[in-house]
Amino acid sequence: MDAKTGSDTDRLVELIKEEERSTVRPQFKAFLGMCAGVGKTHAMLQDARALRAQGIEVLVAVVDTHGQAETEALLEGLETLSRGESGYGSSHAGELDVDAIVERKPAIVVVDDLAHTNRSGSRHAKRWQDVIELLDRGIPVWTSVNIQHMESLAEVVEDLTGVGIPDRVPDSVFDRIDDLRLIDLDPDDLLDRLKAGKVFVPGIPNLTVEGFFNRRNLGALRELSLRYAAGKAERNLTAYVRAENGSPPRPALGGRILVAVGPSPSSAHLIRWARRTAYALRADWTAVHVDSGAELSAPELSRLEANLDLARRLGAETQVIQGLDIAATILEAARSRNVSMIVIGRSGLSSRNSLPGRLTVSDRIVRDAGPIDVTVVQDAATTPSAAGPGPRISLPTWPRPYFAFIAAFLAVTAVGKAVVPVFGYRSIAFMYLAVVLVLSFFTSPAAVAGFAVLSALTFNFLFIPPLFTFTIGTPEDWILFAVYFLVAFVTGSLVSRLKASERMVTERERRTDFLFNAAEQLAECSTIAEAAAVAAGMVEKHFAPGAVVYVDSGTGRPGERPYGESSAHSSVEFEAATYAWTSGTICGRATGSMSGCALRYFPASAGGKTAAVIGVRVPEGKTWTRGDDDLVLSLGHTLALTISRAAVEAKSRRIARELESDRLARVLLDSVSHELRTPLTTIVGSVSALGDDLLAGNPAARHDLLAGALGAAERLNRIVEDLLSISRIEAGMLRLKREPSDIQEIARASMDQAGPEIKAHPIRVMIENDAASPELDVALATKLAANLLRNAGQYSPAGTEIAFGFEISGKDLVITVRDHGPGIPDGQMASLFGKFRRGVAAPGRGLGLGLAICRGIAEAHGGTIAACNAQDGGLEITVVFPDCIKGKE
C-alpha cells in the first residue's frame, strides 16, 4: 500500500468514526446469518463481553441458548434482565419487557432472534416491533437475524427450500440497520454442527439434513446473505465517500417504480419483486390499487388489505385511487408520479385462446405505456403452461345472483312459450332484454353476462325458425339475433358500470360529508373538551358506539379519563392510547401492537405533534380497510388543528389578561402614587406647621391648617375606599344588605358624601314620589349616587346646575344625574365605565374608579347603568334598580 492509499484509507476510517459519533439515531447493529446454527448469538455475546470489559453498560434482554453450554458460558458476567407479568408493560417469561428496558436505559441492549413472534397478550405481535420501539425511544439495540426472515426474500427461500417461513421481518427494519455484521460459515461445517446436535431451528418440524439442511439450500442461502451484506456495505461506503467529498446523497438510479396491487393472492409476489428491484435500483416505489367500484367479497377485501399492508411494511408508498377504467387510471397515476417502470402480473395478459381483439387490463397497460417501461412478472405459483390465461371473469362465491339469473331465465322462457302464438317470436327478444336490464341492477356483472349469452342462444334455439336448431333462416332474424345479443350484452355491461360508478360516488360522498361535517362542527367548538366530545360523537355515529377521545392532561401525555363511552375505559385501553400518543402509530384492535384491546387507537396529530388519541370500536363482521384508517386519521388531523386553535386562543386570552393586568397595575401604581402623594404631603405639611410655636397665637392659621389636613385625610380615605370597593366588586365579594330606604335620606347622604367637588354647583333635586320605600343596600346606593354627583361636579364649569333626580317606574327606581359639562366623545362612550378611565377634561385628581364602582353596584343589584350626551350639552347618567319597589303592582 502506498502512502497516498494509506492516507485515503485513514481519512475514510476517521470519517466513518466521526459519522458514528455524530449520528442522532441510536445504533442498530445486526448479526446476520444465512440460517440457524452459524453462530450469530455466539458472536453477539462475544462482542457484548468485549464491550463490557471496556466498562460499557450492556444489558442482555432476551437470549435463547437452547441449552448450549458454550452459549450459556458467554452469559456469565453479563447483566441480564429479569422479567415479570403485568399486562402489556411486562412480557411473559422469555419475552421482551420494553418498559423495563426503557426505565433502565442501558448503553446497549442485546435482543436475540429479531424475527421471533411474541406470545399472545404481549404489547406487540412481533419482536421486531419491540426493537423499533426501543430504537425510537433512544436505546441502541444489538440483535440477530437470518436472511430467510427478510420479507422480500422469504418467498424466494420458500421456493428454494420448500419450507415455509412464517416469521418475517419487513425490509424497512433491515433498512434501519446501522451496523451489519455477517456471520458466515461454510455449508460443510454447518452440516457437521448439525450432526453434532449444535443446531436448533424453531418453527421447522421434522428437520432433516435431506430437507432444509442440504448443500444446495445452504449454498443458495449463503449466496443471498453474502449478496445482501455486500450490497449494504456498498451503499454505506458510497454514502461515506460522497459525504467526504461534500456531494449530495446519491440519487435514485431507477427513478420510481409503480406496482399494481389487487385482491389476488399473486399480488404479494409482485410486491416483493418490486421491493427487491427498487432496492437494487435505489428507486422509490409505489403500490397502487384502483377501486373501480366493483363489490369485493369479504375474503377478497381481506386479501387486498393484506397486500396493501405488506407493501407498507416493505417501505412502499401505498395509495387507493378510484376509477372505472383500471388501465387508464394506472397509467395516469404513473405519469403524474413520473414513474419509470410499471410492474404487472403475467396472468393478466391475453393468450392465443382469448377472444379476438379482446384486450385485458395488462394488455392495455403494455400497449399504452409509451415511454414508461412495463415489467411483466411471472405470478407466484403459476406454471409456465398455465401462464397468460385469457380474460378471466371473477365469479362471486355468493350463489344468490346465479339463482336469480336461473329463475328469471326459466320464468321468461316459460312465459315466452305461452305467449309466442299471440305476440310472435320477435317480441320474446324484448322480454329477455327487459330481464337483462332488471338483473343488471341487482346481480353481479358475471351473472348478467351469462344471462345475456344464454338467453341469446335459447332465443335462437326455441323461438327463431327453424325451431330447435341454432340455424337462422332469414336475414331479418340474423339482424334481430345480432342486435339482441349486442344490446343485451352492452346494456348489461353499461348498467353494471353505472352501478359501480354509483357505489364509488356514494362512498366518496359519504366520506366527504363526514369530513365536511367534522370540520364544520369542530370549527364551532371553543374549548378542547367540547371538541373532544364532538369528535367522539361523530366517530360513534359513523362507525359503532363505544368511541373515545383522549386529550392532553397538561403534562404532554393523554389524560386517564377519556371523552365518549366511559365503559371502554380501562388500564389496558389507556396504555394502548398512551402508546398511540407517544409512538404516533395506529395500535389496538386488528393491528400488530396491543391487538388484544377492544378499540383501535389513532393518533390525532398536526404539524408532527400529537394532540389527541381517537379510539374506535370496530363493528362486528366489518372488514376494516385502509380507507377507514385514512378517514379516522383525517378526522384526527382536523381535531388536532381544533385543539391547537383552542389552545392558542386560550393562551392569547391568558396573555391578554396578563397584559391588561400589567397595564392596570402600572396605571394603578402611577395613579395611586400621585393621588396618595398629594394628600399625604398636605397632611405632613399641615401637621409639621401645627408644631410650630409661632402659630400658637394665630387661631385662624391653625384652623386653616387643620381644615387642610382634614380634607386631605378625607380624600386619602376616599381613595382607599375606592380601591377596596373595586377589589371587592372584581372578586365577586360585594354582598348586598337590602332594606327599606328613604329616598330623601339617600339624596341627602349622597350630597354629603360627594365632597367639595359639588360645592361650587347648585344641585336641583327632583324626587317623583318621596313616599316610596325602595329595598336597596342603602350604603351602596348612597355611594353610587355620591360618585355620580362627584363626577358631575368635576367635569362641569363652576356655577352650572347639576340635576339629581329619583323616579319611580313601575317597580323600578331610576336615578338620574345630569351635568352641563363638555359631554363624552362618541368614541369614548363604550369605555366610560371602565377602570382607571378619566376624561380629557379631568381636573387631574382621582383614580378614575368612580364610574366603574357605580357600574359594579348597579349590576350587584341586578340593575343597569347607561350614559348619553344631552341635546343641549352635558352628560346624563341613568341608573335603574329593578324590582325594588315592593307592594306595588
Side-chain angles (χ1 to χ4, degrees), residues 549-588:
V549 174
Y550 292 85
V551 297
D552 195 343
S553 60
T555 61
R557 298 177 68 85
E560 293 189 6
R561 302 301 303 181
Y563 295 89
E565 180 59 51
S566 59
S567 62
H569 172 74
S570 68
S571 59
V572 172
E573 301 293 329
F574 175 68
E575 187 170 354
T578 303
Y579 177 76
W581 182 291
T582 55
S583 65
T585 57
I586 302 172
C587 68

Side-chain angles (χ1 to χ4, degrees), residues 123-168:
R123 171 180 293 178
H124 299 296
K126 300 289 186 178
R127 181 167 292 171
W128 61 262
Q129 294 174 297
D130 296 329
V131 169
I132 292 299
E133 183 177 351
L134 291 174
L135 292 172
D136 290 339
R137 293 196 178 196
I139 299 176
V141 178
W142 285 11
T143 190
S144 63
V145 66
N146 294 325
I147 192 65
Q148 72 261 26
H149 295 300
M150 189 174 184
E151 179 69 62
S152 62
L153 295 177
E155 191 177 51
V156 177
V157 175
E158 289 179 347
D159 292 339
L160 288 172
T161 63
V163 177
I165 309 297
D167 297 330
R168 302 182 180 187

Side-chain angles (χ1 to χ4, degrees), residues 594-665:
M594 302 183 177
S595 58
C597 293
L599 275 66
R600 188 178 179 95
Y601 292 93
F602 298 80
S605 58
K609 181 180 179 181
T610 301
V613 171
I614 301 176
V616 182
R617 188 179 298 277
V618 179
E620 293 295 333
K622 173 181 172 57
T623 301
W624 193 266
T625 66
R626 180 179 181 271
D628 295 322
D629 281 346
D630 292 341
L631 191 63
V632 180
L633 289 174
S634 297
L635 172 64
H637 182 70
T638 305
L639 174 61
L641 292 176
T642 303
I643 290 175
S644 299
R645 173 179 57 81
V648 169
E649 290 177 353
K651 185 177 181 180
S652 299
R653 288 193 296 268
R654 186 174 66 253
I655 293 174
R657 287 195 300 268
E658 292 175 354
L659 291 175
E660 180 66 12
S661 177
D662 291 342
R663 188 190 70 81
L664 293 179

Side-chain angles (χ1 to χ4, degrees), residues 223-478:
E223 181 182 359
L224 287 175
S225 62
L226 290 171
R227 282 187 177 183
Y228 177 77
K232 185 81 172 177
E234 189 271 337
R235 282 171 174 262
N236 292 341
L237 182 60
T238 301
Y240 287 133
V241 171
R242 294 183 69 85
E244 181 189 31
N245 296 332
S247 303
R250 187 171 183 177
L253 300 180
R256 178 178 285 272
I257 296 174
L258 184 146
V259 56
V261 177
S264 171
S266 61
S267 289
H269 172 72
L270 297 181
I271 292 170
R272 295 187 180 95
W273 190 95
R275 156 64 194 188
R276 294 195 298 269
T277 304
Y279 183 81
L281 297 178
R282 299 189 184 91
D284 298 326
W285 65 298
T286 303
V288 172
H289 169 69
V290 177
D291 181 6
S292 63
E295 290 187 273
L296 299 177
S297 63
E300 288 175 328
L301 193 57
S302 297
R303 281 198 303 268
L304 174 61
E305 291 302 317
N307 290 335
L308 291 173
D309 182 65
L310 173 62
R312 283 193 295 271
R313 287 189 285 113
L314 292 181
E317 174 192 353
T318 60
Q319 189 170 13
V320 177
I321 307 175
Q322 291 185 331
L324 291 175
D325 192 330
I326 297 178
T329 304
I330 290 176
L331 290 171
E332 182 182 354
R335 294 187 182 103
S336 65
R337 290 165 176 75
N338 295 322
V339 166
S340 58
M341 180 190 298
I342 299 175
V343 179
I344 59 176
R346 181 178 177 184
S347 62
L349 295 176
S350 301
S351 69
R352 56 179 177 271
N353 297 323
S354 300
L355 294 175
R358 171 70 174 178
L359 294 179
T360 64
V361 172
S362 299
D363 291 331
R364 293 180 54 203
I365 291 175
V366 173
R367 183 192 66 184
D368 301 334
I372 303 175
D373 295 331
V374 179
T375 300
V376 181
V377 179
Q378 175 68 48
D379 292 338
T382 302
T383 60
S385 60
R392 298 176 296 176
I393 298 176
S394 177
L395 299 180
T397 56
W398 189 41
R400 188 176 299 176
Y402 296 102
F403 290 157
F405 137 53
I406 293 172
F409 169 75
L410 294 177
V412 173
T413 302
V415 172
K417 293 299 290 183
V419 302
V420 69
V422 179
F423 298 103
Y425 67 89
R426 288 187 174 90
S427 63
I428 308 304
F430 294 100
M431 296 175 60
Y432 279 120
L433 185 58
V435 175
V436 168
L437 295 177
V438 173
L439 286 177
S440 299
F441 287 99
F442 300 102
T443 62
S444 66
V448 174
F451 183 89
V453 173
L454 183 59
S455 61
L457 296 176
T458 304
F459 176 60
N460 180 16
F461 188 78
L462 295 179
F463 298 99
I464 297 179
L467 301 180
F468 309 115
T469 67
F470 290 104
T471 304
I472 299 178
T474 65
E476 294 86 351
D477 289 340
W478 269 110

Side-chain angles (χ1 to χ4, degrees), residues 518-541:
E520 189 176 45
Q521 294 184 34
L522 289 175
E524 297 175 356
C525 298
S526 57
T527 64
I528 295 177
E530 185 181 357
V534 167
M538 293 197 67
V539 172
E540 287 191 348
K541 183 178 179 181

Side-chain angles (χ1 to χ4, degrees), residues 594-754:
M594 302 183 177
S595 58
C597 293
L599 275 66
R600 188 178 179 95
Y601 292 93
F602 298 80
S605 58
K609 181 180 179 181
T610 301
V613 171
I614 301 176
V616 182
R617 188 179 298 277
V618 179
E620 293 295 333
K622 173 181 172 57
T623 301
W624 193 266
T625 66
R626 180 179 181 271
D628 295 322
D629 281 346
D630 292 341
L631 191 63
V632 180
L633 289 174
S634 297
L635 172 64
H637 182 70
T638 305
L639 174 61
L641 292 176
T642 303
I643 290 175
S644 299
R645 173 179 57 81
V648 169
E649 290 177 353
K651 185 177 181 180
S652 299
R653 288 193 296 268
R654 186 174 66 253
I655 293 174
R657 287 195 300 268
E658 292 175 354
L659 291 175
E660 180 66 12
S661 177
D662 291 342
R663 188 190 70 81
L664 293 179
R666 289 194 300 270
V667 172
L668 176 63
L669 181 61
D670 294 341
S671 300
V672 170
S673 61
H674 173 75
E675 293 299 323
L676 292 180
R677 188 181 298 115
T678 301
L680 285 175
T681 302
T682 302
I683 293 173
V684 171
S686 298
V687 173
S688 298
L690 288 173
D692 191 349
D693 294 338
L694 297 176
L695 292 177
N698 191 347
R702 292 182 60 193
H703 181 271
D704 291 340
L705 288 173
L706 285 174
L710 250 160
E714 290 179 356
R715 182 179 172 191
L716 184 62
N717 182 61
R718 193 162 59 240
I719 292 173
V720 174
E721 283 186 354
D722 285 348
L723 290 174
L724 293 176
S725 297
I726 199 68
S727 297
R728 285 196 298 269
I729 291 172
E730 290 190 337
M733 298 176 61
L734 199 61
R735 300 290 182 265
L736 299 182
K737 184 181 179 182
R738 292 179 181 268
E739 57 184 353
S741 58
D742 185 349
I743 294 179
Q744 290 186 351
E745 182 63 28
I746 292 176
R748 191 164 36 253
S750 300
M751 290 187 290
D752 292 341
Q753 288 186 17

Side-chain angles (χ1 to χ4, degrees), residues 825-848:
D826 292 337
Q828 300 180 14
M829 191 68 72
S831 60
L832 180 63
F833 297 99
K835 294 179 296 184
F836 307 110
R837 302 291 183 182
R838 294 179 9 182
V840 293
R845 295 187 302 174
L847 295 176

